[in-house]
Amino acid sequence: RQLMEKEPVFHAAIKKCDALFSRHADWSLLKELMADEEHSRINETHITQPALFALQVGLADLWKSWGIQPSAVIGHSIGEAAAAYTAGVYSLEEAVRIVFHRGRWLHKMAGKGKMAVVGLSERKAEEVLKGWENEISLAAVNSPKSVTVSGDAGALEKMMEPLQQKEIFCRYLQVNYAFHSYQMDSVRKDLLKSLKDLTCQKGSIPFYSTVRGKVESGDQLGADYWWENVRNPVRFFKVTEKL
């Protein structure tokens, strides 16, 4: 709230995002951001994702107003929408559309799974997950010794029990969704249909894709890309190594 009062550039970006989301949603982004704790819905992903996007866009605009120009951009999961917009791949209108539909379809999966951070390398995590492929997915590789796993809550508990006995770091994330897992398969058709005419273009700033693990020019980031973004692991460590 204080940042919005002091920085007109940041506030203007939030208001612009609010106006664009209002074309799709029956709720106000600005009101959701300003809600007190008792009435906040910020942990519901159809609200969370637009809120994160707007804050990221606002910060990018603010930094640019200070003369800070990015040499490259990276996004983690939903963060790729703001990153791609900042890179010039999408107009703000198209980026908002991506975020709105991504959030609303993923919200349908609320309460069906969980996610956890585990202190293992990617290779060791894949070894641990052998036999759990139908219940747990590797959701993200964040550093040399930190991954996120996602899937059925009961299966996650059983999989992590022997790791905890060996004092390997395991911690649940405060979400009741299994993002980047097999559970997302049920929203594939609807997500692709919602974004079938998505307009993208070559960006003006290098966009490092954490979906594909390489720099993408931008003109190949249509609806299929956002299905990959929802379903596939976030290759954050691989891309930061490349950067």
Side-chain angles (χ1 to χ4, degrees), residues 36-71:
D36 58 28
E37 187 172 358
E38 181 182 357
H39 300 99
S40 176
R41 297 192 295 167
I42 202 65
N43 289 324
E44 297 178 17
T45 203
H46 68 300
I47 305 295
T48 309
Q49 294 188 31
L52 286 171
F53 171 81
L55 290 171
Q56 291 164 350
V57 168
L59 287 171
D61 284 0
L62 179 61
W63 295 330
K64 287 180 181 180
S65 76
W66 292 345
I68 301 171
Q69 296 295 329
S71 300

Side-chain angles (χ1 to χ4, degrees), residues 3 6 10 24 42 67 77 185 196 199-200 204 210 224 226:
L3 181 59
K6 293 180 180 179
F10 181 86
H24 306 281
I42 202 65
S77 192
D185 292 345
K196 65 180 180 179
T199 301
C200 56
S204 55
T210 50
D224 287 342
W226 289 98

Side-chain angles (χ1 to χ4, degrees), residues 65-161:
S65 76
W66 292 345
I68 301 171
Q69 296 295 329
S71 300
V73 290
I74 298 177
H76 191 292
S77 192
I78 184 57
E80 286 209 303
Y85 161 70
T86 302
V89 174
Y90 304 110
S91 66
L92 187 59
E93 290 82 359
E94 287 291 75
V96 162
R97 190 159 71 95
I98 291 167
V99 175
F100 173 76
H101 288 298
R102 188 185 189 278
R104 79 182 181 100
W105 289 121
L106 268 58
H107 184 57
K108 301 287 185 182
M109 306 306 296
K112 297 184 179 180
K114 290 188 72 67
M115 304 180 74
V117 177
V118 179
L120 293 174
S121 67
E122 179 180 4
R123 181 181 62 80
K124 289 184 178 179
E126 288 175 343
E127 291 175 1
V128 169
L129 291 177
K130 287 180 180 178
W132 294 102
E133 292 87 352
N134 294 328
E135 297 170 280
I136 306 173
S137 300
L138 180 66
V141 182
N142 298 311
S143 76
K145 293 184 180 180
S146 179
V147 301
T148 303
V149 291
S150 180
D152 176 77
L156 279 175
E157 184 176 355
K158 291 177 182 177
M159 185 273 291
M160 290 193 298
E161 185 175 352

Side-chain angles (χ1 to χ4, degrees), residues 5 7 12 68 140 171 199 214:
E5 290 171 351
E7 299 292 351
I68 301 171
R171 180 176 293 172
T199 301
K214 60 187 180 72

Side-chain angles (χ1 to χ4, degrees), residues 4-36:
M4 291 175 68
E5 290 171 351
K6 293 180 180 179
E7 299 292 351
V9 173
F10 181 86
H11 196 177
I14 298 293
K15 289 179 69 176
K16 188 182 296 184
C17 289
D18 177 49
L20 291 173
F21 276 113
S22 70
R23 297 179 183 178
H24 306 281
D26 59 359
W27 44 266
S28 165
L29 173 63
L30 200 53
K31 288 181 180 179
E32 295 292 345
L33 286 171
M34 293 297 193
D36 58 28

